[in-house]
Amino acid sequence: MSTTQSERLRELLEPLVSSQGLDLEEIAVDTVGRKRVLRVVVDSDTGADLDRIADVSRALSAKLDETDAMGSAEYTLEVGTPGAERALTEHRHYVRATGRLVRFQLAEGGELVARIVAADEDGLDLEVPGVKGRKATARRLAFDDIARARVQVEFNRKDDASEKNDKKEEEA
């Protein structure tokens, strides 16, 4: 997709996405066989449920039908959210990932896996999990020290609520 088409689509679609209370995270046009697919990724601080996705999808579809932004050839519009293992590229992504485990590629080389405790304008407060029974440690990481960051999926995480329930069961 040319930069001009990408910019044109962003200018056209971003106001509609914003009017639905969402952020336009990504736009991509892919060719799959003979078909073209316009993928639009949206998100918000509170997430985007299926109803919000459907509403924004209808609004985007109507707007695209009014214009020639995609040309005259057929295409499919897909609207979705960033997914569980999203890349963190904007400040708002880090804020939304507070409490999540993230794999950081550091600018100076190396890798760090830690939980985001807080995010401010300068960087992140992290909790680095302990290894082999050791306690977790706190660490500060400036945004300038991050080359790439991606949220990690956790299948066996014990959250605060389940830990409280475990303590109540032990007391009973």
Side-chain angles (χ1 to χ4, degrees), residues 11-133:
E11 286 175 15
L12 180 70
L13 303 179
E14 197 158 27
L16 285 171
V17 172
S18 295
S19 74
Q20 300 284 329
L22 299 168
D23 295 317
L24 178 59
E25 297 293 350
E26 185 181 330
I27 295 176
V29 177
D30 298 314
T31 303
V32 181
R34 294 182 181 182
K35 295 183 178 184
R36 290 184 309 151
V37 178
L38 170 59
R39 289 188 175 90
V40 178
V41 178
V42 298
D43 202 5
S44 79
D45 290 343
T46 58
D49 63 19
L50 289 176
D51 290 335
R52 290 178 80 186
I53 297 291
D55 291 344
V56 77
S57 181
R58 282 189 289 276
L60 296 179
S61 181
K63 188 64 163 182
L64 289 165
D65 288 348
E66 293 173 7
T67 68
D68 67 343
M70 288 298 294
S72 59
E74 250 183 66
Y75 68 93
T76 301
L77 172 64
E78 292 180 1
V79 180
T81 58
E85 289 189 1
R86 74 169 305 155
L88 305 177
T89 57
E90 307 266 341
H91 182 267
R92 68 177 179 265
H93 299 164
Y94 291 98
V95 172
R96 291 175 185 162
T98 298
R100 302 287 308 271
L101 194 65
V102 176
R103 181 177 306 275
F104 297 94
Q105 299 294 323
L106 303 176
E108 294 179 1
E111 184 175 277
L112 172 67
V113 176
R115 187 168 314 283
I116 297 176
V117 176
D120 59 33
E121 294 304 316
D122 299 319
L124 305 169
D125 292 327
L126 304 174
E127 180 183 81
V128 181
V131 183
K132 295 184 180 182

